[in-house]
Amino acid sequence: MVRSEQVHKSFGLVPVLNGIDLTVRHGEVFCLVGPSGSGKSTFLRCINHLEKINAGRLYVDGQLVGYRQKGDKLYEMKEREVAFQRRDIGMVFQRFNLFPHMTALENVMEAPIQVKGERKADARARAEEMLTRVGLADRMKNYPAQLSGGQQQRVAIARALAMEPKLMLFDEPTSALDPELVGEVLDVMRGLAEEGMTMIVVTHEMGFAREVGDSLVFMDGGVVVESGHPREVLTNPRHERTQAFLSKVL
């Protein structure tokens, strides 16, 4: 589903990604862990071209992301073409980014209507289905200010799912939540994993990575330090840097 080949990204003179090579299979739950500033979130944003890479190649479902290749050269796509690619990639951020003047139902309906041009009735039916799926059937008419953080994040997940994506990206989706609200969001993500959704998850929730993840990558300094099955990496880390990081978070 996702293939990264020697991806580099810098902000000005500051290198953030230094040659990322990795592969995410269809239906896989792929977890990215590491300290703050290691490049995890930046890499996630590169996958849907919210950040432009400086070198390398990124593919989603066999298609080059954000660029068209002619011969040995890459040419950046127009924003309209990039937006078309993004329709198949759902993203859930640390902050919920809901429209405060819209109800939960309206938030979920908006993108299918505006981006896909769906009929309002069809978008409403799917929005109701997605909100029910994330356990918010009784909160559809509530505005974001009337919802808890966990509920708002579940609306954000429903909003991404309403676009019927082939890939879901989660950027530390529980980091802004009170501890007692984390579980309800992780439960929704577990359900998606059981249904076979391909997911890349930047997370500090090591229990989730161990229980649900199929692969885990530890990043630091913009490189992949160690990778493998989550239980193997978390239980028996081989690299000294991975050992030092896990000793502080487990």
Side-chain angles (χ1 to χ4, degrees), residues 1-4 22-24 43 47 58-61 167 200:
M1 178 63 82
V2 178
R3 188 168 84 252
S4 171
L22 55 80
T23 301
V24 181
F43 177 70
I47 293 174
L58 262 172
Y59 300 87
V60 172
D61 205 18
L167 169 67
I200 303 179

Side-chain angles (χ1 to χ4, degrees), residues 28-140:
E28 185 173 23
V29 179
F30 192 96
C31 297
L32 287 171
V33 304
S36 297
S38 59
K40 309 181 302 297
S41 294
T42 297
F43 177 70
L44 208 65
R45 292 171 65 85
C46 289
I47 293 174
N48 59 7
H49 206 60
L50 287 176
E51 297 289 353
K52 302 175 184 180
I53 63 176
N54 300 120
R57 303 283 192 279
L58 262 172
Y59 300 87
V60 172
D61 205 18
Q63 300 296 312
L64 192 61
V65 173
Y67 297 92
R68 185 179 292 103
Q69 185 163 346
K70 292 184 179 179
D72 293 331
K73 291 187 176 182
L74 292 182
Y75 298 88
E76 188 170 7
M77 290 179 173
K78 295 178 181 179
E79 182 56 34
R80 181 181 297 178
E81 296 174 294
V82 175
F84 187 82
Q85 286 188 323
R86 287 195 191 113
R87 297 185 352 163
D88 292 328
I89 305 172
M91 187 159 186
V92 179
F93 300 88
Q94 297 179 37
R95 299 291 174 179
F96 324 120
N97 296 335
L98 300 178
F99 296 115
H101 63 289
M102 293 184 179
T103 64
L105 183 64
E106 290 167 342
N107 264 282
V108 179
M109 291 172 59
E110 184 72 2
I113 292 172
Q114 298 299 331
V115 178
K116 283 189 168 183
E118 286 190 5
R119 293 171 55 244
K120 190 172 181 179
D122 293 337
R124 183 185 183 91
R126 185 177 304 110
E128 291 175 348
E129 178 188 349
M130 293 303 106
L131 286 167
T132 299
R133 186 175 176 183
V134 299
L136 293 174
D138 59 340
R139 293 287 187 270
M140 294 187 190

